[in-house]
Amino acid sequence: MVGSIETMNVHQNGWSIHNGNGLEEKLDELRSLLGKADGDPLRIVGVGAGAWGSVFAALLQDSYGQFRDKVQIRIWRRPGRAVDRATAEHLFEVINSREDVLRRLIRRCAYLKYVEARLGDRTLFADEILKDGFCLNMIDTPLCPLKVVTNLQEAVWDADIVVNGVPSTETSEVFEEISHYWMERITMPIIISLAKGIEAALQPVPHIITPTQMINRARMVAALTNESATSKSVYFAHCTSEMIFITHLLAEEPEKLAGPLLADTYVTLLKGRNAWYGQMLAKGELNRDMGDSISGKGMIQGVSAVKAFYELLSQPSLSVLHPDGKKPVAPVELCPILKTLYKILISREHSSQAILQALRDETLNDPRERIEIAQSHAFYRPSLLGQP
């Protein structure tokens, strides 16, 4: 992921990792690809602290933890899992048999708690020993100490890379919860899954679900709802004002034109088959040359409507006065959402996240102004709906 581990030796006194040269250069390259600015650490989070997940996170920490100003590595595990007395006694023996581990714990003033646990005077917890480099599933093998977080939201909300280490039986539940914490994010993190196994589903027909599919399904929920309630309300306010503006241009009686075709133009990136088609186009998984009739989806009208309305309203001969400069402009200049949709779906100049960025543009006119302009001026252009 962030550089290959060329050799890895396990010595009697613990883990010893021998990496090839150029670790920092590889880290810088990854940071650059993810658009990380200087002073903003790359945040890597391991979700799940079983043997595989803990070893993976510990190897990353051992290799890249030295670059503290450039990368931050942490691992999440559920709190409250107690270490039984027999395991605590065995853990104490392991610690005392490894001089480097013993010195490390004494230096960190952590050794006493293992003495007390062995005597039965203290209860240890799985997340507590993981911070000292011990995975509950691998007591005999000390790992690199890790930063452990027991609150899932705290662990993942600002992550750049998430490594899924939970079993397949828990992946769906955990990532469904995670998706709620990512609703306000503009971009989704990179997700790497270490999980093995599959789950069975019976509906609509019997089929299997892999951990990757579980994660993708959770991410799709997040992707479709990553606008906050405020962002959604702002989006619909602008869409409504643009539709009112456009209908006043196109019809002498605007209320008769406000139908499904115009609405499809603005829901293309939200829900339904228009949303699905728009997202596939934006991601490059569909091509407009494939047409608007998609097997299993029917006729897709929203994207073609975006193209048609944009091209129609771009004609300078239909100029209207801009509310700011009072200069004549093509009507499309008063339709920022339509322009953004066109750049996402047709010209492919922007990603789908450009909608949220457009809503945050402080120069965006108040949608009420657009409605007032449309309702107070004679914008109707009879020729626009001429007979073919």
Side-chain angles (χ1 to χ4, degrees):
M1 181 177 68
V2 286
S4 60
I5 298 174
E6 296 184 354
T7 59
M8 179 178 71
N9 297 328
V10 183
H11 294 303
Q12 194 171 21
N13 62 351
W15 289 90
S16 176
I17 311 301
H18 301 287
N19 293 296
N21 295 326
L23 286 179
E24 187 169 13
E25 288 77 6
K26 293 174 182 177
L27 180 57
D28 288 339
E29 182 180 357
L30 180 60
R31 285 173 50 83
S32 177
L33 287 173
L34 296 181
K36 302 297 290 185
D38 290 342
D40 183 16
L42 179 68
R43 297 172 176 85
I44 302 176
V45 178
V47 174
W52 187 198
S54 296
V55 168
F56 194 94
L59 289 174
L60 289 178
Q61 178 64 38
D62 195 51
S63 298
Y64 295 92
Q66 58 187 303
F67 309 113
R68 295 181 181 179
D69 59 332
K70 295 185 177 182
V71 65
Q72 179 188 92
I73 300 166
R74 57 186 184 264
I75 190 168
W76 169 83
R77 75 155 294 132
R78 290 185 175 91
R81 175 77 182 276
V83 177
D84 61 50
R85 175 76 176 276
T87 303
E89 291 178 351
H90 182 56
L91 183 54
F92 181 77
E93 294 173 358
V94 171
I95 290 170
N96 282 278
S97 68
R98 299 175 185 267
E99 185 179 346
D100 64 319
V101 176
L102 179 61
R103 285 199 308 267
R104 187 180 75 199
L105 292 175
I106 292 174
R107 188 168 57 249
R108 297 176 61 189
C109 300
Y111 179 63
L112 183 58
K113 66 185 176 186
Y114 294 97
V115 176
E116 293 174 342
R118 184 196 184 199
L119 297 174
D121 296 332
R122 177 172 180 166
T123 300
L124 293 173
F125 293 92
D127 55 279
E128 183 180 17
I129 67 172
L130 187 60
K131 295 176 184 178
D132 294 323
F134 290 99
C135 173
L136 191 58
N137 309 96
M138 301 173 59
I139 294 300
D140 290 306
T141 308
L143 304 173
C144 181
L146 291 165
K147 176 177 173 57
V148 181
V149 180
T150 55
N151 181 290
L152 185 57
Q153 181 175 9
E154 178 187 346
V156 305
W157 76 274
D158 62 347
D160 299 300
I161 299 174
V162 174
V163 181
N164 174 41
V166 299
S168 60
T169 52
E170 301 176 28
T171 294
S172 182
E173 174 189 351
V174 171
F175 274 83
E176 183 67 30
E177 180 179 349
I178 287 175
S179 71
H180 298 306
Y181 305 142
W182 287 342
M183 286 184 178
E184 301 297 323
R185 293 188 59 142
I186 295 177
T187 59
M188 290 297 105
I190 294 171
I191 299 179
I192 299 172
S193 182
L194 309 177
K196 303 182 292 292
I198 59 172
E199 289 290 290
L202 301 180
Q203 300 296 332
V205 295
H207 62 286
I208 63 172
I209 306 174
T210 67
T212 301
Q213 290 171 324
M214 298 175 199
I215 293 171
N216 284 337
R217 184 163 55 188
R219 289 184 72 191
M220 181 58 71
V221 171
L224 292 175
T225 57
N226 63 2
E227 305 93 347
S228 65
T230 301
S231 294
K232 286 181 178 178
S233 65
V234 173
Y235 179 80
F236 280 111
H238 281 286
C239 291
T240 301
S241 70
E242 287 188 20
M243 285 191 282
I244 292 173
F245 177 75
I246 293 172
T247 54
H248 277 73
L249 277 173
L250 298 180
E252 190 172 10
E253 298 179 76
E255 65 277 2
K256 293 184 179 180
L257 186 66
L261 185 62
L262 190 55
D264 281 347
T265 303
Y266 289 95
V267 301
T268 301
L269 291 183
L270 293 180
K271 294 286 186 180
R273 62 183 179 182
N274 280 285
W276 171 85
Y277 184 74
Q279 289 168 4
M280 293 299 102
L281 279 180
K283 292 189 293 186
E285 296 182 19
L286 281 179
N287 190 309
R288 286 189 59 248
D289 294 337
M290 298 168 65
D292 291 349
S293 183
I294 306 298
S295 177
K297 296 291 183 180
M299 182 63 71
I300 309 293
Q301 296 175 312
V303 175
S304 58
V306 168
K307 184 175 186 294
F309 280 117
Y310 178 88
E311 292 180 349
L312 178 66
L313 301 178
S314 297
Q315 302 303 312
S317 59
L318 305 177
S319 64
V320 295
L321 290 179
H322 195 284
D324 287 343
K326 301 300 181 182
K327 295 181 180 180
V329 295
V332 75
E333 296 303 319
L334 297 184
C335 300
I337 302 301
L338 178 62
K339 287 178 62 178
T340 304
L341 288 172
Y342 183 88
K343 290 179 179 180
I344 293 171
L345 300 171
I346 310 301
S347 64
R348 304 287 186 84
E349 297 175 49
H350 298 319
S351 71
S352 58
Q353 300 301 327
I355 285 292
L356 292 180
Q357 295 168 6
L359 295 179
R360 297 187 179 101
D361 187 348
E362 294 181 357
T363 65
L364 197 62
N365 290 98
D366 189 322
R368 290 174 297 182
E369 294 181 5
R370 195 179 300 106
I371 294 175
E372 291 172 359
I373 292 171
Q375 293 177 333
S376 60
H377 294 74
F379 274 132
Y380 170 52
R381 302 290 193 275
S383 62
L384 296 185
L385 287 182
Q387 297 298 319

Short mmCIF file of all heavy atoms in Angstrom, two decimals, residues 101-131:
data_model
loop_
_atom_site.label_atom_id
_atom_site.label_comp_id
_atom_site.label_asym_id
_atom_site.label_seq_id
_atom_site.Cartn_x
_atom_site.Cartn_y
_atom_site.Cartn_z
N VAL A 101 11.28 -6.05 25.20
CA VAL A 101 9.90 -5.73 25.57
C VAL A 101 9.84 -5.31 27.03
O VAL A 101 9.14 -4.35 27.40
CB VAL A 101 8.98 -6.94 25.32
CG1 VAL A 101 7.56 -6.64 25.80
CG2 VAL A 101 8.96 -7.30 23.84
N LEU A 102 10.57 -6.03 27.88
CA LEU A 102 10.61 -5.70 29.31
C LEU A 102 11.13 -4.28 29.51
O LEU A 102 10.55 -3.49 30.27
CB LEU A 102 11.49 -6.71 30.04
CG LEU A 102 11.66 -6.51 31.55
CD1 LEU A 102 10.32 -6.60 32.25
CD2 LEU A 102 12.64 -7.55 32.11
N ARG A 103 12.23 -3.94 28.83
CA ARG A 103 12.79 -2.59 28.96
C ARG A 103 11.80 -1.54 28.47
O ARG A 103 11.65 -0.47 29.08
CB ARG A 103 14.09 -2.48 28.16
CG ARG A 103 15.28 -3.17 28.80
CD ARG A 103 16.59 -2.62 28.22
NE ARG A 103 16.59 -2.67 26.77
CZ ARG A 103 17.09 -3.69 26.05
NH1 ARG A 103 17.61 -4.74 26.69
NH2 ARG A 103 17.08 -3.65 24.74
N ARG A 104 11.14 -1.84 27.38
CA ARG A 104 10.19 -0.89 26.80
C ARG A 104 9.05 -0.59 27.78
O ARG A 104 8.64 0.56 27.97
CB ARG A 104 9.62 -1.45 25.49
CG ARG A 104 8.75 -0.49 24.70
CD ARG A 104 8.26 -1.15 23.44
NE ARG A 104 7.21 -2.12 23.73
CZ ARG A 104 6.83 -3.10 22.90
NH1 ARG A 104 7.48 -3.27 21.77
NH2 ARG A 104 5.85 -3.90 23.22
N LEU A 105 8.50 -1.62 28.41
CA LEU A 105 7.39 -1.44 29.34
C LEU A 105 7.83 -0.72 30.61
O LEU A 105 7.09 0.12 31.15
CB LEU A 105 6.75 -2.78 29.68
CG LEU A 105 6.03 -3.48 28.53
CD1 LEU A 105 5.55 -4.85 28.96
CD2 LEU A 105 4.86 -2.64 28.04
N ILE A 106 9.02 -1.04 31.09
CA ILE A 106 9.54 -0.35 32.28
C ILE A 106 9.76 1.12 31.97
O ILE A 106 9.42 2.00 32.78
CB ILE A 106 10.85 -1.02 32.77
CG1 ILE A 106 10.55 -2.43 33.31
CG2 ILE A 106 11.53 -0.16 33.82
CD1 ILE A 106 11.79 -3.21 33.69
N ARG A 107 10.30 1.41 30.78
CA ARG A 107 10.57 2.79 30.38
C ARG A 107 9.26 3.59 30.28
O ARG A 107 9.23 4.78 30.58
CB ARG A 107 11.33 2.80 29.06
CG ARG A 107 11.81 4.19 28.64
CD ARG A 107 12.81 4.09 27.48
NE ARG A 107 12.26 3.41 26.32
CZ ARG A 107 12.66 2.21 25.89
NH1 ARG A 107 13.61 1.56 26.56
NH2 ARG A 107 12.12 1.66 24.83
N ARG A 108 8.19 2.92 29.86
CA ARG A 108 6.90 3.59 29.72
C ARG A 108 6.07 3.54 31.00
O ARG A 108 4.91 3.96 31.02
CB ARG A 108 6.11 2.94 28.58
CG ARG A 108 6.75 3.08 27.22
CD ARG A 108 5.97 2.33 26.15
NE ARG A 108 4.61 2.83 26.00
CZ ARG A 108 3.68 2.23 25.26
NH1 ARG A 108 3.97 1.11 24.62
NH2 ARG A 108 2.47 2.74 25.16
N CYS A 109 6.66 3.00 32.05
CA CYS A 109 5.97 2.86 33.35
C CYS A 109 4.70 2.01 33.21
O CYS A 109 3.68 2.27 33.86
CB CYS A 109 5.62 4.23 33.94
SG CYS A 109 7.06 5.28 34.23
N ALA A 110 4.75 1.02 32.33
CA ALA A 110 3.59 0.16 32.09
C ALA A 110 3.78 -1.25 32.64
O ALA A 110 2.85 -2.05 32.63
CB ALA A 110 3.31 0.08 30.58
N TYR A 111 4.97 -1.54 33.14
CA TYR A 111 5.27 -2.91 33.57
C TYR A 111 4.47 -3.32 34.81
O TYR A 111 4.00 -4.45 34.92
CB TYR A 111 6.76 -3.05 33.85
CG TYR A 111 7.19 -4.43 34.31
CD1 TYR A 111 7.04 -5.54 33.49
CD2 TYR A 111 7.74 -4.61 35.58
CE1 TYR A 111 7.44 -6.81 33.91
CE2 TYR A 111 8.15 -5.88 36.01
CZ TYR A 111 7.99 -6.97 35.16
OH TYR A 111 8.37 -8.23 35.57
N LEU A 112 4.26 -2.38 35.73
CA LEU A 112 3.61 -2.70 37.00
C LEU A 112 2.22 -3.29 36.82
O LEU A 112 1.81 -4.18 37.56
CB LEU A 112 3.55 -1.46 37.89
CG LEU A 112 2.96 -1.65 39.29
CD1 LEU A 112 3.74 -2.70 40.07
CD2 LEU A 112 2.92 -0.32 40.05
N LYS A 113 1.49 -2.80 35.81
CA LYS A 113 0.12 -3.30 35.64
C LYS A 113 0.10 -4.79 35.27
O LYS A 113 -0.85 -5.50 35.61
CB LYS A 113 -0.63 -2.47 34.59
CG LYS A 113 -0.10 -2.57 33.17
CD LYS A 113 -0.86 -1.60 32.26
CE LYS A 113 -0.30 -1.60 30.84
NZ LYS A 113 -0.94 -0.57 30.00
N TYR A 114 1.14 -5.25 34.58
CA TYR A 114 1.21 -6.68 34.25
C TYR A 114 1.57 -7.52 35.48
O TYR A 114 1.12 -8.65 35.63
CB TYR A 114 2.20 -6.90 33.11
CG TYR A 114 1.74 -6.27 31.82
CD1 TYR A 114 2.19 -5.01 31.42
CD2 TYR A 114 0.81 -6.91 31.01
CE1 TYR A 114 1.74 -4.41 30.25
CE2 TYR A 114 0.34 -6.32 29.84
CZ TYR A 114 0.81 -5.07 29.47
OH TYR A 114 0.35 -4.49 28.32
N VAL A 115 2.39 -6.93 36.36
CA VAL A 115 2.69 -7.59 37.63
C VAL A 115 1.40 -7.73 38.44
O VAL A 115 1.08 -8.82 38.97
CB VAL A 115 3.75 -6.80 38.43
CG1 VAL A 115 3.97 -7.44 39.81
CG2 VAL A 115 5.05 -6.71 37.65
N GLU A 116 0.64 -6.65 38.53
CA GLU A 116 -0.60 -6.66 39.31
C GLU A 116 -1.63 -7.61 38.69
O GLU A 116 -2.36 -8.29 39.42
CB GLU A 116 -1.17 -5.24 39.39
CG GLU A 116 -0.30 -4.27 40.19
CD GLU A 116 -0.82 -2.85 40.14
OE1 GLU A 116 -1.62 -2.56 39.22
OE2 GLU A 116 -0.42 -2.04 40.97
N ALA A 117 -1.69 -7.65 37.36
CA ALA A 117 -2.65 -8.54 36.70
C ALA A 117 -2.31 -10.00 36.99
O ALA A 117 -3.21 -10.82 37.19
CB ALA A 117 -2.65 -8.28 35.20
N ARG A 118 -1.02 -10.31 37.01
CA ARG A 118 -0.61 -11.68 37.29
C ARG A 118 -1.00 -12.09 38.72
O ARG A 118 -1.36 -13.25 38.98
CB ARG A 118 0.90 -11.81 37.12
CG ARG A 118 1.40 -13.24 37.31
CD ARG A 118 2.89 -13.26 37.51
NE ARG A 118 3.40 -14.63 37.59
CZ ARG A 118 4.56 -14.97 38.11
NH1 ARG A 118 5.34 -14.03 38.61
NH2 ARG A 118 4.95 -16.22 38.14
N LEU A 119 -0.95 -11.13 39.63
CA LEU A 119 -1.29 -11.41 41.03
C LEU A 119 -2.79 -11.37 41.28
O LEU A 119 -3.24 -11.65 42.39
CB LEU A 119 -0.59 -10.38 41.94
CG LEU A 119 0.94 -10.41 41.90
CD1 LEU A 119 1.51 -9.26 42.72
CD2 LEU A 119 1.46 -11.75 42.41
N GLY A 120 -3.55 -11.00 40.24
CA GLY A 120 -5.00 -10.94 40.39
C GLY A 120 -5.50 -9.65 41.01
O GLY A 120 -6.67 -9.54 41.39
N ASP A 121 -4.63 -8.64 41.13
CA ASP A 121 -5.02 -7.37 41.73
C ASP A 121 -5.53 -6.36 40.70
O ASP A 121 -5.92 -5.25 41.08
CB ASP A 121 -3.83 -6.75 42.48
CG ASP A 121 -3.37 -7.60 43.64
OD1 ASP A 121 -4.24 -8.33 44.19
OD2 ASP A 121 -2.17 -7.58 43.97
N ARG A 122 -5.49 -6.74 39.44
CA ARG A 122 -5.91 -5.81 38.39
C ARG A 122 -6.43 -6.58 37.19
O ARG A 122 -5.93 -7.65 36.87
CB ARG A 122 -4.75 -4.91 37.98
CG ARG A 122 -5.10 -3.97 36.83
CD ARG A 122 -4.02 -2.98 36.55
NE ARG A 122 -4.41 -2.11 35.44
CZ ARG A 122 -3.80 -0.98 35.13
NH1 ARG A 122 -2.78 -0.58 35.86
NH2 ARG A 122 -4.20 -0.26 34.12
N THR A 123 -7.45 -6.02 36.53
CA THR A 123 -7.98 -6.61 35.30
C THR A 123 -7.43 -5.85 34.10
O THR A 123 -7.53 -4.62 34.05
CB THR A 123 -9.52 -6.56 35.27
OG1 THR A 123 -10.05 -7.28 36.38
CG2 THR A 123 -10.06 -7.16 33.98
N LEU A 124 -6.84 -6.56 33.17
CA LEU A 124 -6.36 -5.96 31.92
C LEU A 124 -7.44 -6.05 30.86
O LEU A 124 -8.31 -6.93 30.92
CB LEU A 124 -5.11 -6.70 31.43
CG LEU A 124 -3.84 -6.58 32.27
CD1 LEU A 124 -2.76 -7.51 31.71
CD2 LEU A 124 -3.33 -5.14 32.29
N PHE A 125 -7.35 -5.17 29.89
CA PHE A 125 -8.31 -5.18 28.78
C PHE A 125 -7.58 -5.28 27.45
O PHE A 125 -6.42 -4.86 27.33
CB PHE A 125 -9.19 -3.93 28.83
CG PHE A 125 -10.10 -3.90 30.02
CD1 PHE A 125 -9.71 -3.27 31.19
CD2 PHE A 125 -11.34 -4.52 29.98
CE1 PHE A 125 -10.54 -3.25 32.30
CE2 PHE A 125 -12.18 -4.50 31.07
CZ PHE A 125 -11.78 -3.88 32.24
N ALA A 126 -8.26 -5.84 26.46
CA ALA A 126 -7.63 -6.10 25.16
C ALA A 126 -7.12 -4.82 24.51
O ALA A 126 -6.04 -4.81 23.92
CB ALA A 126 -8.62 -6.80 24.24
N ASP A 127 -7.89 -3.74 24.57
CA ASP A 127 -7.43 -2.49 23.96
C ASP A 127 -6.25 -1.90 24.73
O ASP A 127 -5.38 -1.25 24.16
CB ASP A 127 -8.57 -1.48 23.88
CG ASP A 127 -9.23 -1.22 25.23
OD1 ASP A 127 -10.07 -2.04 25.64
OD2 ASP A 127 -8.91 -0.21 25.85
N GLU A 128 -6.18 -2.17 26.03
CA GLU A 128 -5.09 -1.67 26.86
C GLU A 128 -3.77 -2.36 26.52
O GLU A 128 -2.74 -1.69 26.35
CB GLU A 128 -5.44 -1.92 28.33
CG GLU A 128 -4.43 -1.40 29.33
CD GLU A 128 -4.85 -1.69 30.76
OE1 GLU A 128 -5.73 -2.56 30.97
OE2 GLU A 128 -4.28 -1.06 31.66
N ILE A 129 -3.78 -3.68 26.36
CA ILE A 129 -2.53 -4.38 26.05
C ILE A 129 -2.12 -4.15 24.61
O ILE A 129 -0.93 -4.21 24.28
CB ILE A 129 -2.63 -5.89 26.36
CG1 ILE A 129 -3.63 -6.59 25.43
CG2 ILE A 129 -2.99 -6.13 27.81
CD1 ILE A 129 -3.62 -8.10 25.56
N LEU A 130 -3.10 -3.86 23.73
CA LEU A 130 -2.76 -3.58 22.34
C LEU A 130 -1.90 -2.33 22.23
O LEU A 130 -1.02 -2.24 21.37
CB LEU A 130 -4.04 -3.44 21.50
CG LEU A 130 -3.88 -3.31 19.99
CD1 LEU A 130 -3.17 -4.53 19.40
CD2 LEU A 130 -5.23 -3.11 19.32
N LYS A 131 -2.14 -1.36 23.10
CA LYS A 131 -1.33 -0.14 23.10
C LYS A 131 0.13 -0.46 23.44
O LYS A 131 1.03 0.27 23.04
CB LYS A 131 -1.89 0.85 24.12
CG LYS A 131 -3.27 1.37 23.78
CD LYS A 131 -3.80 2.28 24.88
CE LYS A 131 -5.22 2.73 24.58
NZ LYS A 131 -5.78 3.57 25.66
#
